[in-house]
């Protein structure tokens, strides 16, 4: 006999791998509402990565919030991918909210996530937020280089904030 939670997890994974993301999400919702099934972090991650690939941002946000409410922390790879994707999609407010929730998830962004977030905030005109993220990134051991540094320096100069540039 196989525990049903394990079988459900395999079923979700197989549906996603077969390209049946809607079927996997429907299956999850049905089992959750009828039986109280809560998938493990790996099953959530499979769903999150698939939603990211298909640009289904609302469902991705719902799934992340569901995980948060269930106190299930996604792994670092998934959170960083989600953060980068929101930046690339121009959803800087969602990316910033996710970034601000990082301590609740117990995660720190990787260098690519910092780069995307800083670049997006500068492009959006949120220079003070970009500066806050920069300070946090330096505390985590990441200092922007190359293009990110140029974008940041240009934004500080454009906004006449030489003190922050120093």
């Amino acid at each position: 006999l196989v525990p049903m939670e394990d079988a459900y997890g395999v079923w979700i994974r197989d549906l996603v791998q077969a390209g049946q993301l809607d079927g996997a999400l429907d299956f999850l919702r049905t089992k959750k509402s009828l039986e109280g099934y809560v998938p493990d972090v790996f099953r959530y991650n499979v769903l999150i990565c698939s939603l990211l690939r298909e640009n289904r941002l609302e469902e991705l946000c719902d799934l992340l919030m569901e995980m948060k409410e269930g106190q299930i922390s996604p792994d670092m790879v998934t959170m960083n991918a989600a953060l980068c994707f929101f930046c690339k999609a121009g959803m800087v407010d969602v990316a910033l909210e996710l970034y601000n929730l990082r301590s609740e998830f117990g995660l720190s962004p990787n260098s690519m996530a910092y780069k995307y977030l800083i670049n997006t905030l500068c492009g959006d005109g949120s220079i003070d937020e970009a500066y806050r993220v920069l300070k946090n990134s330096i505390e985590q051991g990441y200092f922007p280089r190359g293009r990110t540094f140029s974008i940041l320096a240009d934004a500080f100069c454009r906004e006449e904030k030489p003190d922050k540039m120093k």
Side-chain angles (χ1 to χ4, degrees):
L1 293 174
V2 175
M4 292 312 292
E5 290 80 19
D6 293 342
Y8 293 163
V10 170
W11 190 250
I12 290 170
R13 182 198 66 207
D14 289 351
L15 283 170
V16 170
Q17 286 177 349
Q20 301 295 320
L21 181 56
D22 287 327
L25 290 168
D26 289 342
F27 180 80
L28 171 63
R29 288 183 201 112
T30 300
K31 293 302 174 188
K32 190 169 190 162
S33 68
L34 295 177
E35 300 175 26
Y37 168 66
V38 178
D40 61 22
V41 67
F42 302 110
R43 298 306 162 232
Y44 272 117
N45 287 342
V46 166
L47 293 169
I48 287 169
C49 289
S50 296
L51 290 168
L52 280 172
R53 269 186 248 117
E54 293 189 12
N55 298 332
R56 293 168 64 172
L57 301 179
E58 284 185 37
E59 291 168 292
L60 173 63
C61 287
D62 291 343
L63 208 54
L64 287 171
M65 295 287 74
E66 181 180 310
M67 291 177 72
K68 182 179 179 253
E69 289 167 7
Q71 298 180 335
I72 299 170
S73 294
D75 65 10
M76 204 171 302
V77 173
T78 303
M79 291 299 289
N80 284 316
L83 187 66
C84 291
F85 184 78
F86 289 134
C87 288
K88 288 172 76 173
M91 299 179 69
V92 70
D93 54 335
V94 176
L96 195 56
E97 183 178 338
L98 183 59
Y99 173 77
N100 290 334
L101 291 172
R102 72 193 182 285
S103 61
E104 289 184 39
F105 287 113
L107 303 173
S108 32
N110 62 17
S111 61
M112 187 180 347
Y114 276 123
K115 178 179 91 169
Y116 274 108
L117 188 56
I118 291 169
N119 290 351
T120 304
L121 288 167
C122 287
D124 191 47
S126 304
I127 307 307
D128 291 330
E129 284 295 330
Y131 183 69
R132 183 178 65 84
V133 171
L134 171 66
K135 286 182 11 183
N136 289 334
S137 72
I138 291 170
E139 289 172 9
Q140 296 297 317
Y142 169 72
F143 187 80
R145 300 182 318 220
R147 182 164 181 199
T148 302
F149 183 78
S150 296
I151 290 170
L152 195 56
D154 181 58
F156 287 145
C157 291
R158 198 175 51 244
E159 296 291 318
E160 298 179 9
K161 297 185 180 209
D163 54 322
K164 290 186 178 180
M165 185 58 210
K166 289 178 185 176

